[in-house]
Amino acid sequence: MLRLKVLAKKCTQLERFYCTVNKFNTLNEAAKFLSPLLDVKEPTMYRYLTKHDFLLELERDDIRRKLDYFRYLRASNEEILQQPNLLMVHLITLENRTTILRECGFVESLNLAALSKYITLVRQKVRALKKNLLIPADLDMVEQLRKQFELDVLPVGLTSSDDLNVQPLREQFISEFLRQRLELSDVELKRLWQSYSKIKHKSFGHTQRVVDILQYDYKFSREKIVGNLYLLHADPENLLRYPSVVPSIGGMDIKELMVKQPKVMMVPCDKYSAILTLAPDTIQARIVQIKKTKEFEVLLKHPRITKLIAYQTKAAIRLDFLQQLKVRCASLNVLASHSQGFEKYVRDGCDRTKGKDTAHFFSQIFAQKSDEVFTHLKRHPNWFHIPTVQIQETMDYLRAQQYTLEDIGENIQIVLYPLSRISAKLDKLHECARTGRPHDELGIELVGVSASQMLSLCLYTMELDFHFTGDGVWPEQVQLNDASTSTNIELPKTLNKDYKYGKKPAVKVGL
C-alpha cells in the first residue's frame, strides 16, 4: 500500500510538469500549418503571427481541437482570428465557460467575444447584462439558475432582483447544492471556498455530475468526498474512462485504488495509462536501467519521462538500431513513439532534433534564463544536429573546469562542439595565458582574460579552422557529406517487422 501511495504521489507531481513536444520552432512553420486551417494566405498568417507570437507555444493537436470547438459554436475564421487569446485557454476551460454562460441565460449572444470576456461578464449585475442585450430583458436570473439543478436548490432568503451580481449569485447556488447533497456544514463550506475557490468557475452541470460519479460509480462515502473536496475540480469524462483505460494498478482494481488514493483521479488517464499498469518494482528497475544509458539519463528530468519508463525496452532497442545507422539526434518522442511515426522518422533520414529535449534540459540548468539561452543557441546554423547527451557531456566538462553557468550561458554555442576540440583549444589558450606567450593563431597576449572571454576565444579559434561556416560542430569521424539531414544508409528489411515495434530481429541460424 505504501508503494501505491508513492506511485500516486509521483503521478500527481509529474502531471504538473506534463507537456507534449508538438510545438512550432519558427514563425514560418506555424504560418504554414495555420494558413489552410483558417483559410488565410501564408504571408498574411506570418504577419498575424508576428503580432501574436505567443501562439507558437501551442501544440498542433491542441489547435485543431480548439478550432473544431469554435466551429461547433458556429464561429467564422474571421471571428477566430479576432480572438487569438482564446486559443491559449484550455479546452476544458472553454467548455466550462460556454456551459456557465448558457446556464446564465446567454443564448443568442453566446459567441467567441463573450467567451473571451467571460470573467468580466459574470462579475456584472443582471441589469447590466440586460442593458447590453446579452440576456433576455424578461429573464429571472434566480429562476434561471434554480432550474439548472436536479434538486430544488434555492438559497435561503434569496429573492429575484436585477441588482444581483451574477458571480456571487452562482456561488450561493453552489453552496446550497453542496449543503443539500453532501450535507456540508457552514464550517465545511467556508473551508471549501477558502481552499478551492476556483470551483466558482465550474458549471452547475459539471459539479452535479462529478458528485454523481463519485457517489454512484466509485462508491465514495459522503465523508470521503468531504475529506477530498479538490475532487470537485476533476474532469467527469476522465473519471468515467478510467476503469476501461486503466482497469488496475499494481494488481489492484482501479475503483478500489481510487477510494484509497483519490489524487490519482486528477491525473488524465490517457497520459499515464501505460506506466500506471506497471508494478512499482518494474518501474524502479527501469529507472535504474535508464540511469545506466547516457542517452536516456539526460532525460530523467524531462516532463515526459514516464513515457520513456513505460516504453523503456522498446526505446532501448530503437536507440541501438539508430546508433547502427549513425543517427545521433533521436528525441524521446521518437524513441517512444508509435510504430508508424518511428518508421517515418527513420525513412525520412532526418538526423536532427526539434530541440524540445534540449529546451527541457536547459530549463533544469538555467532556470529562468533558459529561454534566453536557448534562443542564443539556435542562432548557430547547425544547432539542431547536436544531441542533448553531447550537450550535457560538454556542460559537465566545462563545469568541472570551474566555468560558471553565467560564463557558459554567455557563450552557449560552445556546447555544440566536440569535447575533444574544445579541450584542445582551451588547453592551448590556458597555456598561453599562464606563460604570457602570444597565441600563435590570435597573435595576442592573453593578459587579464576573464573566464567568459576565454570561452569566447575558444569558440572563435574553433570556427577559425572552418572559416566560420559553423562546420566546427561536426565530430572528426563525421565527414562533411554525412553532416546533412539525410542518413543515406540502406535500411534493413527488419525495420518493418522488428525495430519499429521495439523488438530485436530474429537471429538467423546457419545450416
Side-chain angles (χ1 to χ4, degrees):
M1 194 63 229
L2 178 60
R3 289 182 176 179
L4 286 173
K5 287 183 178 180
V6 173
L7 179 58
K9 181 179 179 181
K10 292 294 183 184
C11 289
T12 305
Q13 291 173 339
L14 286 164
E15 162 61 11
R16 297 172 188 168
F17 299 102
Y18 178 84
C19 71
T20 59
V21 289
N22 198 19
K23 296 180 181 178
F24 305 105
N25 290 313
T26 64
L27 281 171
N28 279 326
E29 190 178 323
K32 187 174 182 180
F33 174 81
L34 285 167
S35 175
L37 292 177
L38 291 167
D39 194 23
V40 176
K41 293 182 179 179
E42 279 190 39
T44 304
M45 180 55 70
Y46 185 90
R47 291 192 295 272
Y48 178 83
L49 289 171
T50 59
K51 297 179 182 178
H52 310 292
D53 57 356
F54 54 84
L55 294 175
L56 270 68
E57 294 300 312
L58 291 169
E59 300 160 10
R60 289 171 172 81
D61 293 342
D62 190 34
I63 290 175
R64 286 194 183 95
R65 285 192 292 268
K66 288 173 184 174
L67 290 180
D68 287 344
Y69 185 70
F70 293 154
R71 292 189 176 108
Y72 159 75
L73 296 176
R74 300 184 179 180
S76 66
N77 289 333
E78 184 179 356
E79 288 177 294
I80 295 172
L81 289 169
Q82 289 173 355
Q83 304 293 339
N85 290 326
L86 273 187
L87 284 167
M88 303 300 293
V89 181
H90 197 287
L91 182 57
I92 292 178
T93 301
L94 290 171
E95 292 171 342
N96 247 307
R97 289 183 179 183
T98 302
T99 306
I100 289 173
L101 290 177
R102 283 176 175 159
E103 291 175 345
C104 292
F106 288 72
V107 180
E108 298 297 331
S109 61
L110 183 52
N111 52 32
L112 298 194
L115 283 182
S116 67
K117 298 176 182 177
Y118 163 80
I119 298 295
T120 301
L121 294 178
V122 296
R123 288 176 177 172
Q124 292 185 10
K125 293 181 182 293
V126 175
R127 186 182 307 283
L129 298 178
K130 290 182 177 181
K131 181 179 180 180
N132 291 308
L133 306 179
L134 294 169
I135 59 176
D138 59 350
L139 181 76
D140 185 327
M141 185 61 75
V142 171
E143 284 303 313
Q144 173 68 20
L145 298 183
R146 184 179 184 180
K147 67 182 183 182
Q148 306 301 322
F149 293 91
E150 297 174 0
L151 299 175
D152 184 13
V153 176
L154 181 62
V156 177
L158 181 63
T159 57
S160 297
S161 170
D162 285 356
D163 289 325
L164 294 171
N165 290 84
V166 176
Q167 188 60 62
L169 183 58
R170 292 191 70 256
E171 292 176 24
Q172 289 185 62
F173 271 92
I174 292 173
S175 292
E176 184 59 27
F177 166 73
L178 295 175
R179 189 191 305 276
Q180 290 189 36
R181 184 65 185 273
L182 297 176
E183 301 177 356
L184 292 190
S185 64
D186 290 341
V187 174
E188 290 167 333
L189 281 170
K190 183 178 180 181
R191 180 163 60 88
L192 169 69
W193 290 112
Q194 286 177 339
S195 302
Y196 311 109
S197 62
K198 289 185 179 181
I199 192 68
K200 65 188 176 186
H201 295 304
K202 296 294 183 183
S203 69
F204 295 158
H206 172 281
T207 305
Q208 292 177 92
R209 197 170 179 215
V210 168
V211 174
D212 283 344
I213 293 171
L214 292 176
Q215 287 189 325
Y216 302 130
D217 289 75
Y218 286 89
K219 309 301 180 185
F220 272 40
S221 65
R222 177 261 178 199
E223 289 72 24
K224 193 70 179 181
I225 298 176
V226 174
N228 299 275
L229 286 172
Y230 60 85
L231 292 175
L232 295 176
H233 288 289
D235 177 7
E237 294 300 327
N238 186 59
L239 298 182
L240 290 173
R241 293 186 64 235
Y242 244 115
S244 59
V245 177
V246 189
S248 65
I249 298 178
M252 180 179 289
D253 181 87
I254 190 65
K255 291 186 177 181
E256 181 183 351
L257 176 68
M258 294 301 196
V259 174
K260 295 182 178 180
Q261 296 296 328
K263 285 187 178 180
V264 176
M265 289 182 152
M266 305 304 291
V267 180
C269 60
D270 293 319
K271 291 181 182 179
Y272 299 113
S273 58
I275 193 170
L276 286 176
T277 58
L278 298 176
D281 289 343
T282 301
I283 294 174
Q284 182 62 39
R286 291 188 178 186
I287 292 175
V288 171
Q289 193 60 40
I290 285 172
K291 289 181 177 179
K292 293 180 180 179
T293 307
K294 62 180 183 179
E295 287 83 0
F296 292 159
E297 191 271 338
V298 70
L299 300 170
L300 272 176
K301 293 183 179 180
H302 193 291
R304 300 190 76 189
I305 187 62
T306 54
K307 187 173 184 180
L308 182 58
I309 295 172
Y311 300 105
Q312 188 266 335
T313 303
K314 174 195 289 186
I317 293 170
R318 286 179 173 179
L319 177 64
D320 178 66
F321 171 59
L322 292 175
Q323 289 175 339
Q324 292 177 43
L325 299 182
K326 298 181 181 179
V327 175
R328 307 184 304 152
C329 296
S331 66
L332 182 153
N333 194 49
V334 167
L335 294 173
S337 68
H338 55 77
S339 301
Q340 292 81 1
F342 179 72
E343 181 176 1
K344 183 179 185 302
Y345 174 82
V346 175
R347 292 195 180 281
D348 286 348
C350 296
D351 189 11
R352 58 180 294 166
T353 174
K354 289 186 177 180
K356 304 304 179 182
D357 294 350
T358 302
H360 290 308
F361 173 71
F362 278 4
S363 69
Q364 298 295 324
I365 301 298
F366 293 102
Q368 290 87 354
K369 292 186 177 181
S370 61
D371 289 343
E372 178 185 342
V373 172
F374 191 43
T375 298
H376 185 62
L377 179 88
K378 291 192 291 185
R379 293 175 184 169
H380 195 287
N382 295 318
W383 73 270
F384 44 77
H385 288 301
I386 309 304
T388 308
V389 64
Q390 178 181 322
I391 292 174
Q392 183 193 40
E393 290 174 347
T394 304
M395 286 283 300
D396 291 344
Y397 168 78
L398 293 175
R399 294 302 304 279
Q401 298 298 312
Q402 306 306 309
Y403 289 100
T404 67
L405 285 178
E406 185 175 358
D407 296 332
I408 300 170
E410 291 172 351
N411 303 276
I412 193 60
Q413 292 182 1
I414 198 171
V415 302
L416 300 172
Y417 291 76
L419 193 51
S420 58
R421 193 167 289 149
I422 296 172
S423 176
K425 294 295 185 182
L426 280 179
D427 286 347
K428 188 172 183 179
L429 288 166
H430 283 301
E431 181 184 358
C432 291
R434 185 174 61 255
T435 61
R437 177 171 54 84
H439 193 281
D440 54 2
E441 292 177 277
L442 299 173
I444 59 174
E445 294 181 0
L446 305 180
V447 179
V449 176
S450 68
S452 179
Q453 291 171 332
M454 192 66 78
L455 293 184
S456 296
L457 291 173
C458 180
L459 265 172
Y460 180 87
T461 55
M462 284 191 292
E463 274 304 324
L464 184 65
D465 295 340
F466 295 87
H467 309 289
F468 302 99
T469 60
D471 288 336
V473 299
W474 305 117
E476 290 81 352
Q477 67 270 25
V478 176
Q479 299 300 317
L480 188 58
N481 60 353
D482 290 332
S484 66
T485 59
S486 300
T487 53
N488 296 321
I489 295 176
E490 183 178 355
L491 301 178
K493 294 180 180 179
T494 52
L495 173 63
N496 286 326
K497 297 180 180 179
D498 299 296
Y499 284 113
K500 75 170 186 175
Y501 295 111
K503 299 185 295 184
K504 288 186 177 180
V507 180
K508 293 184 178 179
V509 180
L511 296 176

